[in-house]
């Protein structure tokens, strides 16, 4: 049995978790990371060639990482 995950869905979940945190308790680095995740999420869901290319690249990277640990 093999588990697959859509990168855009994963980033959406991470983005929701990051946004739900208190605004007052955020550092500049945390805000920058939230912004970066939001921008990447926007590119991934955008129906452009660039968005599809990034989605394919991140999918290949995730597939490579998941296959590295299997015998």
């Amino acid at each position: 049995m093999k588990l697959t995950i859509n990168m855009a869905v994963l980033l959406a979940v991470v983005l929701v978790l990051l946004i739900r945190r208190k605004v007052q308790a955020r550092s500049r680095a945390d805000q920058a990371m939230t912004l970066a995740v939001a921008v990447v999420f926007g590119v991934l869901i955008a129906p452009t060639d660039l968005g599809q290319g990034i989605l394919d690249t991140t999918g290949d990277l995730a597939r490579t990482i998941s296959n590295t640990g299997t015998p």
Side-chain angles (χ1 to χ4, degrees):
M1 180 165 146
K2 197 171 208 179
L3 178 66
T4 59
I5 189 164
N6 187 339
M7 293 303 288
V9 173
L10 178 63
L11 277 177
V13 170
V14 170
L15 188 59
V16 167
L17 292 175
L18 287 173
I19 289 175
R20 287 183 50 141
R21 293 179 62 194
K22 284 184 160 185
V23 175
Q24 294 85 3
R26 289 187 177 180
S27 66
R28 287 187 185 258
D30 193 24
Q31 288 177 347
M33 185 180 71
T34 303
L35 178 65
V37 169
V39 168
V40 171
F41 176 71
V43 170
L44 284 176
I45 62 170
T48 63
D49 291 336
L50 177 63
Q52 294 302 314
I54 293 174
L55 181 61
D56 292 338
T57 303
T58 53
D60 290 341
L61 179 64
R63 205 173 301 107
T64 301
I65 290 172
S66 66
N67 288 339
T68 303
T70 57

